[in-house]
């Protein structure tokens, strides 16, 4: 008897998320991964995410990926946002922010950034793509 797993849980493709990020991204946008880093996203979001255009990593535990591997914390220095006030300031700025987070991240961003409206752009499995500005039609 062969069984097939039909519930993907957290092991799900990031293709739709990456493709939507590439379609939505405009030069000068800031990308922020909130709470978790979607491993494999750079594969689908290339060329938007690349070695010189890395997303900020906001409010991520230092004991989980991508920080848990030796040497990653110093390598990722400068793209981490561990200060709640800095995250709020970024979301409420005039800078267009594209946020990526696990289910509920859009709601948390809206509760955090009370002076702006957060827009859900895509829900793909458990991942969400959101922005602090209205979606732009291309």
């Amino acid at each position: 008897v062969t069984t097939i797993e039909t519930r993907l849980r957290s092991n799900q493709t990031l293709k739709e998320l990456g493709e939507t990020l590439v379609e939505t991204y405009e030069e000068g946008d800031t990308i922020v991964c909130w709470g978790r880093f979607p491993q494999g996203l750079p594969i689908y979001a290339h060329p938007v995410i690349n070695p010189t255009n890395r997303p900020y990593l906001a409010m991520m535990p230092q004991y989980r990926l991508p920080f848990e591997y030796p040497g990653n914390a110093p390598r990722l220095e400068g793209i981490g946002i561990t200060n709640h006030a800095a995250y709020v300031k970024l979301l409420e700025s005039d800078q267009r922010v594209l946020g990526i987070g696990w289910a509920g991240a859009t709601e948390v961003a809206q509760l955090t950034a009370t002076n702006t409206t957060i827009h859900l752009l895509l829900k793909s499995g458990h991942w969400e793509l959101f922005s602090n500005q209205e979606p732009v039609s291309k």
Side-chain angles (χ1 to χ4, degrees):
V1 172
T2 303
T3 59
I4 298 173
E5 178 61 51
T6 58
R7 296 181 324 212
L8 293 175
R9 296 186 188 94
S10 63
N11 183 22
Q12 56 190 282
T13 182
L14 296 169
K15 185 175 183 179
E16 183 180 24
L17 181 64
E19 288 175 346
T20 303
L21 181 61
V22 169
E23 291 170 8
T24 306
Y25 180 83
E26 293 182 355
E27 189 69 34
D29 288 350
T30 298
I31 302 170
V32 177
C33 293
W34 182 84
R36 290 177 147 187
F37 184 77
Q39 298 174 51
L41 181 62
I43 294 168
Y44 297 109
H46 190 294
V48 170
I49 295 178
N50 63 60
T52 59
N53 190 35
R54 300 183 296 176
Y56 285 96
L57 307 175
M59 314 310 282
M60 291 192 184
Q62 299 295 301
Y63 62 88
R64 294 192 66 180
L65 281 171
F67 298 103
E68 70 180 317
Y69 289 110
N72 270 4
R75 231 183 341 268
L76 298 172
E77 192 172 317
I79 63 169
I81 301 173
T82 57
N83 180 312
H84 182 75
Y87 183 55
V88 171
K89 185 177 179 181
L90 181 62
L91 289 174
E92 292 183 348
S93 72
D94 291 335
Q95 173 69 39
R96 184 168 178 235
V97 176
L98 296 172
I100 301 160
W102 196 249
T106 304
E107 183 179 353
V108 170
Q110 185 60 74
L111 293 170
T112 300
T114 56
N115 293 325
T116 193
T117 301
I118 303 299
H119 305 273
L120 178 64
L121 305 179
L122 173 75
K123 183 166 178 59
S124 179
H126 291 290
W127 291 101
E128 296 177 352
L129 175 63
F130 58 91
S131 179
N132 64 341
Q133 295 184 12
E134 288 280 343
V136 178
S137 299
K138 287 191 175 186

